[in-house]
Amino acid sequence: MLHHSKPGRSRPLAVSAAVLVAMSLPLQAQTPPQATGSPAQYSAVPVTAAQIDHAVANLDALAADILERSGIPGLAVAVVRDGATVYARGFGLRRVDAALPVDADTVFLLASLSKPIGATVVATQVSAGVVGWDTPLVDLLPWFALSDDWVTRHLTIGDLYAHRSGLPDHAGDDLEDLGYARRQVLERLALLPLAPFRATYAYTNFGMTAAAEGVAVAAGTDWASLSRNALYGPLGMTATSSLNAEFMARANRASSHVPVEGGYSVADLRQPDAQSPAGGVSSSVNDVARWMALILEGGAPLIAADALLPAVSPQAIASPPGTMDARGGTYGYGFNVGVQPSGRVMLSHSGAFALGAGTTVSMIPSLGVGIVVLTNASPLGAAEAISATFMDEVQFGHSTRDWFAAYRPMISALMAPVGHLAEVERPETAAPPRATAAYLGTYQNAYFGPAEVVEQDGGLALILGPNRQVEVLTPWDGDAFTYLPYSENAPDGSVSEVGFAAFTDEQAQEMRIEHLDAFGLGTFRR
């Protein structure tokens, strides 16, 4: 609301931003020949058909260049324009140890590209009147709760799809790493501290998964079946699935790869079914192109426009600007919603698995153009570089910068080992540990469950999670030990300190596991 003061008048006057812009322009400048739609839709940077043609024609060379510079095994690219797939091609290999080329039908793990696709599944149910974006989740999942009763009662599907529930960043991912199933993770979210409701943004795979579970219950089915029946089937996305077993069974499948000295090795370790609505979709670029065409057509004919529009509209401030001259970033319901330097709105999302996937999608509705890039290796910014370069060429006729050089250090930093002792040498003056018996036993934790310290091969081992993962404890300094976690959230080279404390009768009563202490819940007690 804007406030205008005049003598003798104190009532505020509401004026829309679009009207204000129009009022500030000279009359002859309000409707220039090339402008259509409202001032809010106007871009002062014209784009010709030939410009888009040129950008598409450059994709072969661009993708080949990024494949070589990044060293990743393989990638695939598809472009949609005016409702049709105008480019779809694979580059490199499905796996480094076999001569199996990637093509446009090769199926990849999408990682977090699952979020906008899953949000589209929800939009089909909003369109059908099964749920609304404002439906309270407890109306659908009475057993679901957060640590604040008021928030629990008011939390909606939209709140969770916009990451504004107050849950901490990546809440529940640590439980998934330990082997907990979806329902087990969702129930434990009630133990986490909350930031202010609807006032903070924090990216949460399992918050979004909870909302999707509620939608599936309302539809009378499970999430994977709902996705297949409501979206994948109607669009002809025959290579797309929300079940990891179906992905692993595909003949034309891109294996996941992780970096090793001198290159990459096949991992195929990521099993994302627990968070499938947020990270468990697998698909090909040909299939994702069909979905992009649907989004760029405003949902027609599958989804009513007013059911999709909230998802692709700003709902939360995801990245506040750091300076006065910087653009901020916003998030809709499962979609990043941003503004390009050209002034055009772009819908996007990236996906990343440290255990071997890097993906991205970008769409400019005003141009009817979208691009998807899927890769089969831990993210380096290769997918984002291809997408950003292509969108530069579409909008400006040339690339404005070396996008791979820009993205690589930023994204590589996100994949760095965790733990304050990573790459740190043990102190030469380190004290020896106590006798083994001082540490043995079972320690309890409401969030993570029990943890056992047992004797193994003359030393100590830590047993965690429902799958009883065994971690070897190495003496560090006195009552401090270390182990080497390796999971989606702890890349190779990570080190976790395990500290024992509160000794009674020469037995530790507490154990703090650094790797599990992100939310202050990493202390286990006898």
Side-chain angles (χ1 to χ4, degrees):
M1 181 176 289
L2 303 174
H3 299 271
H4 298 267
S5 298
K6 291 185 178 182
R9 180 180 179 181
S10 60
R11 185 171 63 88
L13 175 68
V15 181
S16 75
V19 171
L20 183 65
V21 171
M23 289 168 52
S24 68
L25 295 173
L27 184 60
Q28 67 272 19
Q30 289 185 30
T31 55
Q34 72 273 28
T36 60
S38 73
Q41 295 171 296
Y42 173 59
S43 170
V45 180
V47 173
T48 65
Q51 207 163 292
I52 302 175
D53 291 340
H54 180 71
V56 173
N58 279 350
L59 271 172
D60 280 0
L62 170 61
D65 175 62
I66 296 299
L67 184 73
E68 181 179 1
R69 291 173 64 189
S70 66
I72 61 176
L75 62 87
V77 184
V79 172
V80 167
R81 180 181 182 186
D82 297 331
T85 301
V86 297
Y87 181 94
R89 186 177 173 188
F91 299 81
L93 301 175
R94 293 183 231 162
R95 53 185 299 148
V96 293
D97 57 1
L100 300 171
V102 174
D103 60 38
D105 291 313
T106 299
V107 178
F108 292 74
L109 289 173
L110 297 192
S112 283
L113 283 200
S114 304
K115 291 178 172 67
I117 290 176
T120 310
V121 174
V122 176
T124 67
Q125 302 308 290
V126 174
S127 182
V130 175
V131 297
W133 290 109
D134 60 353
T135 298
L137 185 59
V138 290
D139 289 356
L140 310 175
L141 300 180
W143 54 264
F144 183 81
L146 297 181
S147 59
D148 184 293
D149 290 341
W150 190 93
V151 172
T152 298
R153 293 195 305 273
H154 291 83
L155 183 73
T156 67
I157 293 170
D159 291 326
L160 290 162
Y161 263 88
H163 302 301
R164 63 188 186 202
S165 66
L167 283 167
D169 185 72
H170 285 80
D173 286 11
D174 44 11
L175 294 173
E176 182 193 23
D177 283 348
L178 293 180
Y180 284 96
R182 184 183 303 175
R183 176 70 179 257
Q184 293 173 305
V185 175
L186 297 183
E187 288 175 341
R188 283 168 167 77
L189 296 182
L191 300 174
L192 293 175
L194 294 177
F197 182 45
R198 293 180 183 161
T200 52
Y201 171 95
Y203 193 84
T204 56
N205 292 306
F206 282 97
M208 188 173 287
T209 296
E213 278 287 283
V215 174
V217 167
T221 186
D222 62 274
W223 177 257
S225 298
L226 177 62
S227 299
R228 180 176 60 250
N229 297 332
L231 186 67
Y232 308 157
L235 290 185
M237 298 170 67
T238 57
T240 304
S241 175
S242 293
L243 294 172
N244 192 65
E246 293 184 357
F247 165 69
M248 294 298 290
R250 303 278 184 193
N252 187 358
R253 174 179 69 84
S255 288
S256 299
H257 295 79
V258 294
V260 294
E261 187 173 354
Y264 285 88
S265 67
V266 175
D268 280 344
L269 297 173
R270 188 67 172 102
Q271 212 291 38
D273 278 352
Q275 56 162 272
S276 179
V281 178
S282 57
S283 189
S284 66
V285 293
N286 269 336
D287 270 15
V288 176
R290 293 180 174 92
W291 167 77
M292 287 195 297
L294 174 78
I295 299 301
L296 290 168
E297 290 296 317
L302 191 59
I303 304 168
D306 60 355
L308 180 62
L309 183 59
V312 297
S313 302
Q315 302 291 343
I317 299 175
S319 51
T323 61
M324 288 179 64
D325 61 351
R327 290 180 293 276
T330 63
Y331 202 84
Y333 294 145
F335 289 79
N336 286 310
V337 184
V339 178
Q340 288 283 281
S342 67
R344 297 182 187 273
V345 172
M346 186 166 81
L347 310 176
S348 66
H349 215 291
S350 284
F353 284 154
L355 294 178
T359 63
T360 198
V361 66
S362 301
M363 295 175 279
I364 299 182
S366 63
L367 299 176
V369 172
I371 182 171
V372 58
V373 186
L374 308 179
T375 78
N376 60 350
S378 302
L380 283 177
E384 289 83 1
I386 293 171
S387 178
T389 303
F390 172 77
M391 285 304 192
D392 263 4
E393 292 177 351
V394 164
Q395 296 172 91
F396 310 116
H398 61 89
S399 177
T400 62
R401 65 189 298 183
D402 183 341
W403 284 105
F404 185 58
Y407 275 117
R408 183 166 190 164
M410 294 171 55
I411 294 180
S412 294
L414 299 176
M415 299 296 112
V418 300
H420 80 287
L421 295 178
E423 300 182 357
V424 176
E425 295 291 332
R426 187 185 184 203
E428 293 183 2
T429 57
R434 305 178 195 226
T436 300
Y439 310 108
L440 298 177
T442 300
Y443 300 76
Q444 300 293 337
N445 183 291
Y447 182 68
F448 291 108
E452 296 178 48
V453 178
V454 299
E455 193 168 3
Q456 178 176 289
D457 299 329
L460 295 176
L462 179 64
I463 302 177
L464 292 167
N467 296 335
R468 298 183 61 79
Q469 297 178 12
V470 179
E471 306 287 355
V472 176
L473 293 180
T474 301
W476 180 260
D477 189 358
D479 296 318
F481 294 74
T482 62
Y483 74 95
L484 308 179
Y486 182 61
S487 66
E488 179 55 37
N489 295 286
D492 188 35
S494 296
V495 177
S496 180
E497 181 182 22
V498 178
F500 294 90
F503 286 83
T504 301
D505 297 328
E506 287 300 311
Q507 272 207 323
Q509 303 300 308
E510 293 183 357
M511 172 180 62
R512 175 187 171 272
I513 302 176
E514 178 193 13
H515 173 232
L516 302 180
D517 202 35
F519 310 134
L521 300 177
T523 298
F524 295 68
R525 295 180 174 85
R526 287 189 190 272

